[in-house]
């Protein structure tokens, strides 16, 4: 994929750095060893974090700050990484979807970055552009129905929006039939080293749980 970061994003976040993991994969309904990893991380976070300290984590705080700069309330439209960790801290179980979605959620929780996972065969065209959502722009979030993405950072392909830090789009969602996976990591904190580490972690998870060689990583 060719990924473009628009000037409107650079204007509100000049330090933005992203990573794209592009891999061939085999999805499965459930992976018990993966959920053991998730449970271990959940136990550690419940000991180390509170709902307040969570918002102060650099990767999450930076994403919340971008929401505000773009005109969105981060407490109403929470970044997905914050949603997931808050659910853990509340003692609620994470939603179990399928192995690819579950391992992406683990990677997002572990590093605090909002991460989009997509069935790359559902993209229209070969370019994704990261911009800001507009008033009235149509968007159907996964499991959320119509989502008002005005003021949210959004990736668009040739047809329209496919991913925001709050929710990805139904049109390009991962299914059990997904074999070509693209994962996008959004580093609004500008920490290129940590974003790269997050990408490498995803590659390791894909090798362990998705019959993949880990694919390739492109920083942008």
């Amino acid at each position: 994929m060719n990924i473009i970061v628009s000037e409107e994003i650079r204007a509100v976040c000049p330090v933005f750095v992203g990573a794209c993991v592009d891999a061939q994969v085999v999805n499965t309904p459930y992976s018990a060893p993966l959920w053991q990893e998730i449970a271990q991380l959940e136990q550690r976070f419940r000991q180390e974090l509170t709902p307040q300290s969570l918002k102060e984590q650099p990767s999450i705080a930076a994403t919340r700050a971008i929401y505000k700069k773009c005109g969105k309330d981060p407490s109403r439209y929470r970044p997905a990484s914050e949603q997931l960790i808050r659910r853990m801290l509340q003692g609620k179980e994470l939603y179990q979807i399928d192995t690819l979605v579950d391992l992406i959620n683990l990677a997002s929780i572990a590093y605090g970055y909002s991460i989009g996972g997509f069935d790359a065969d559902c993209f229209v065209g070969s370019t994704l552009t990261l911009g800001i959502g507009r008033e009235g722009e149509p968007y159907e979030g996964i499991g959320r129905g119509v989502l008002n993405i005005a003021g949210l950072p959004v990736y668009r392909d040739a047809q329209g929006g496919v991913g925001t830090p709050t929710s990805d789009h139904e049109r390009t969602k991962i299914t059990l039939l997904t074999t070509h996976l693209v994962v996008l990591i959004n580093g609004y904190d500008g920490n290129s080293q940590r974003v790269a580490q997050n990408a490498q972690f995803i590659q390791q998870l894909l090798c362990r749980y998705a019959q993949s060689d880990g694919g390739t990583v492109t920083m942008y």
Side-chain angles (χ1 to χ4, degrees):
M1 293 302 299
N2 177 36
I3 302 176
I4 299 170
V5 180
S6 69
E7 288 303 316
E8 60 183 353
I9 289 291
R10 292 294 184 195
V12 294
C13 188
V15 301
F16 174 85
V17 60
C20 172
V21 181
D22 190 320
Q24 296 297 315
V25 295
V26 175
N27 201 3
T28 54
Y30 177 77
S31 169
L34 171 61
W35 276 89
Q36 291 175 2
E37 282 199 55
I38 293 173
Q40 292 171 358
L41 187 62
E42 181 177 359
Q43 183 177 21
R44 178 164 66 85
F45 276 10
R46 285 180 179 171
Q47 295 172 345
E48 296 177 354
L49 294 174
T50 66
Q52 182 56 41
S53 66
L54 169 63
K55 293 191 292 187
E56 298 166 359
Q57 297 298 304
S59 50
I60 290 175
T63 306
R64 290 175 61 89
I66 290 303
Y67 272 40
K68 291 178 181 178
K69 289 183 179 180
C70 293
K72 212 67 167 176
D73 180 356
S75 294
R76 183 178 178 190
Y77 294 85
R78 295 187 192 279
S81 55
E82 183 183 350
Q83 293 177 40
L84 292 168
I85 300 173
R86 282 176 65 88
R87 188 171 181 84
M88 279 184 166
L89 298 182
Q90 291 167 354
K92 300 176 182 178
E93 292 186 357
L94 294 183
Y95 300 109
Q96 191 274 316
I97 309 298
D98 57 52
T99 297
L100 289 178
V101 173
D102 297 343
L103 73 81
I104 291 169
N105 285 343
L106 170 58
S108 179
I109 291 165
Y111 284 81
Y113 292 117
S114 288
I115 299 176
F118 308 92
D119 186 324
D121 290 337
C122 296
F123 289 141
V124 178
S126 59
T127 298
L128 296 176
T129 302
L130 177 59
I132 299 174
R134 299 182 287 267
E135 288 292 343
E137 184 171 0
Y139 193 93
E140 184 179 358
I142 297 174
R144 300 172 68 105
V146 176
L147 183 66
N148 176 13
I149 64 168
L152 283 179
V154 58
Y155 286 94
R156 299 182 181 96
D157 65 6
Q159 183 171 322
V162 297
T164 75
T166 292
S167 176
D168 292 330
H169 197 287
E170 282 280 354
R171 174 168 62 88
T172 52
K173 73 178 181 182
I174 294 166
T175 71
L176 288 175
L177 299 178
T178 298
T179 58
H180 183 188
L181 178 71
V182 161
V183 183
L184 304 178
I185 305 168
N186 298 284
Y188 291 99
D189 60 356
N191 190 333
S192 58
Q193 181 178 3
R194 199 158 185 270
V195 169
Q197 290 171 345
N198 199 170
Q200 291 165 4
F201 181 51
I202 290 171
Q203 289 183 294
Q204 293 165 6
L205 293 175
L206 292 175
C207 291
R208 286 203 291 270
Y209 303 119
Q211 300 180 42
S212 175
D213 64 2
T216 60
V217 174
T218 303
M219 303 293 291
Y220 59 93

